[in-house]
Amino acid sequence: MKHDSLLSNQDKSNLEKMGKFVTMLIPRLPSLFKTPPHRTFEFNTRYYDADKEERDSRNAQIKANVEGRPNNEGIGDRVRQSFRRQVSARRNTSSAQSRVRLISILAILVLITYLLLR
């Protein structure tokens, strides 16, 4: 090409990758500041499975009971598990109550609308 001296190394490598199909480059404006390169990072995804955690702790507790050694650590786990069950039970009952309340309010509004438009 005639303007190879105006191209950066990355532009040259991009042109080589694209082959002969590229005929025009986007013109660049002169700048006083050099743009920083793109930052990259490594992100290892993690997945937490609460059911698996509970199963593993329960299996460890059962194994300790079978082997005959006392498991004093299980007390804290049992308290945590019972607390989780109570919280989830409260959530289920409160959501059911809110559904009933919503349905009753909608029924009253429909009834009032029917009486006003009649």
Side-chain angles (χ1 to χ4, degrees):
M1 286 195 185
K2 358 186 220 192
H3 301 289
D4 280 345
S5 61
L6 299 176
L7 298 176
S8 67
N9 288 338
Q10 188 168 1
D11 288 338
K12 288 178 187 177
S13 66
N14 286 342
L15 279 176
E16 289 171 4
K17 289 178 190 174
M18 291 183 203
K20 61 183 176 182
F21 298 108
V22 176
T23 58
M24 183 179 149
L25 294 175
I26 299 172
R28 292 188 180 185
L29 295 175
S31 174
L32 298 176
F33 304 102
K34 183 178 180 182
T35 58
H38 295 290
R39 296 174 120 185
T40 59
F41 63 95
E42 293 290 324
F43 180 72
N44 298 328
T45 56
R46 290 179 273 171
Y47 177 73
Y48 176 73
D49 189 3
D51 295 333
K52 182 181 178 191
E53 187 80 22
E54 189 173 332
R55 258 183 282 133
D56 290 344
S57 66
R58 183 72 179 137
N59 288 338
Q61 184 181 12
I62 291 171
K63 188 180 286 187
N65 288 342
V66 168
E67 292 174 357
R69 57 189 162 115
N71 188 3
N72 294 333
E73 298 170 357
I75 295 171
D77 290 335
R78 280 183 268 153
V79 170
R80 269 188 239 106
Q81 288 174 359
S82 67
F83 181 72
R84 285 183 190 143
R85 282 190 211 111
Q86 288 174 358
V87 168
S88 66
R90 283 187 194 145
R91 280 188 195 145
N92 291 340
T93 58
S94 66
S95 65
Q97 289 173 349
S98 66
R99 274 190 231 116
V100 169
R101 188 178 311 124
L102 178 66
I103 291 171
S104 62
I105 289 172
L106 286 174
I108 291 171
L109 288 174
V110 167
L111 180 65
I112 290 172
T113 307
Y114 174 73
L115 292 175
L116 288 176
L117 294 176
R118 195 173 75 166

